[in-house]
Amino acid sequence: KLNMIKRNLSCNYNIIGNVIDTNLFKPNSELKTDRFIFLHVSNLDDKIKNVSGIIEAFSQFYKNRPDSLLRIVGDGDISPHLKYAKSLGLNETNFSIEGEKPLEDIAIEMQRSNCLVLNSHFETQGCVILEAFSCGLPVISTDVGGIKEILNSERGILIEANKPDQLSDAMESILDLSFDPQAMRAFVIKNFSREVISEKFDHVYKKSINGGYQ
């Protein structure tokens, strides 16, 4: 909205967020292990998601935290990211990358992980961030697009884009921070659940046909 206003696209805006299946994306503490797992989920397009930056930051972080693991899941080409990880000394004991998975499996990946990492150059709202919150998972993300509207210190850490040192430091910091999984989930249910988003669309539709936006 703010970016459109800056470009003189003034209008009567009504913002409706992404819809999240909170029945699928929910906490499951039984899947947690003693190992701290960072998770990244995207289309693996480096020009947008900067996956290589996550791998680079983790390779630095891992030197002091050898009990941690970086898992990457996406529907893009995994080969260049696997090759890059190996060039930085990461292997199957601390790094894994897999191709596209159905939403049900993504939910399980989030439930077993400890932190979602997003390192994008560009984003809108970041649906995967809300899915992580719904699972009670804190998030480290670059401050791009509308992410700062949903990610604050109660739900994770914001960093600058193109700053691998900041990302590595955030990975270190997140280990010592505590978050309330139920509060994160409640935030999503209140603002992005199917019921809430349906009501918002219904309100806008009814107001539009009754001339409310003229």
Side-chain angles (χ1 to χ4, degrees):
K1 175 182 176 181
L2 293 177
N3 286 335
M4 288 188 288
I5 292 175
K6 288 178 181 179
R7 288 165 175 75
N8 297 318
L9 298 174
S10 298
C11 188
N12 188 1
Y13 292 104
N14 195 306
I15 299 175
I16 299 178
N18 290 307
V19 60
I20 303 301
D21 185 349
T22 54
N23 293 319
L24 176 61
F25 290 93
K26 57 187 177 182
N28 186 351
S29 59
E30 293 182 358
L31 295 181
K32 302 292 186 184
T33 67
D34 293 334
R35 197 171 193 186
F36 197 96
I37 300 176
F38 291 99
L39 175 68
H40 174 74
V41 180
S42 75
N43 62 13
L44 306 185
D45 185 344
D46 227 21
K47 294 180 181 178
I48 300 175
K49 302 299 182 179
N50 195 11
V51 182
S52 60
I54 298 175
I55 297 172
E56 177 186 356
F58 180 76
S59 70
Q60 295 299 316
F61 163 85
Y62 178 78
K63 294 175 181 177
N64 297 320
R65 299 285 184 168
D67 57 338
S68 58
L69 171 68
L70 172 61
R71 287 185 55 78
I72 297 176
V73 179
D75 57 359
D77 185 3
I78 70 172
S79 56
H81 304 302
L82 181 59
K83 182 178 180 180
Y84 184 55
K86 288 183 176 180
S87 75
L88 295 177
L90 299 178
N91 55 51
E92 62 275 4
T93 65
N94 47 48
F95 174 80
S96 70
I97 183 167
E98 298 181 71
E100 184 177 8
K101 291 189 174 188
L103 281 179
E104 292 79 8
D105 288 351
I106 295 298
I108 292 173
E109 291 290 349
M110 289 186 175
Q111 291 164 349
R112 68 191 290 203
S113 300
N114 302 93
C115 178
L116 179 78
V117 181
L118 202 65
N119 194 42
S120 304
H121 296 299
F122 314 101
E123 280 289 345
T124 50
Q125 188 178 60
C127 188
V128 69
I129 292 177
L130 295 172
E131 291 169 345
F133 290 159
S134 190
C135 290
L137 197 64
V139 175
I140 298 172
S141 174
T142 45
D143 184 5
V144 295
I147 290 177
K148 63 183 174 184
E149 297 173 8
I150 58 173
L151 177 54
N152 59 22
S153 59
E154 294 179 353
R155 295 185 279 273
I157 300 175
L158 276 173
I159 61 172
E160 295 178 74
N162 301 309
K163 298 287 186 180
D165 289 342
Q166 279 193 24
L167 178 52
S168 182
D169 290 344
M171 287 178 167
E172 186 73 36
S173 298
I174 206 85
L175 299 181
D176 299 320
L177 298 175
S178 60
F179 301 93
D180 185 342
Q182 292 305 319
M184 287 189 281
R185 176 168 170 79
F187 167 73
V188 176
I189 292 174
K190 180 180 178 180
N191 296 284
F192 305 99
S193 63
R194 286 178 173 177
E195 295 78 10
V196 170
I197 298 300
S198 294
E199 289 177 4
K200 289 183 178 181
F201 271 114
D202 187 60
H203 173 75
V204 170
Y205 175 73
K206 289 179 178 178
K207 192 169 183 179
S208 297
I209 62 176
N210 290 323
Y213 286 112
Q214 293 181 357

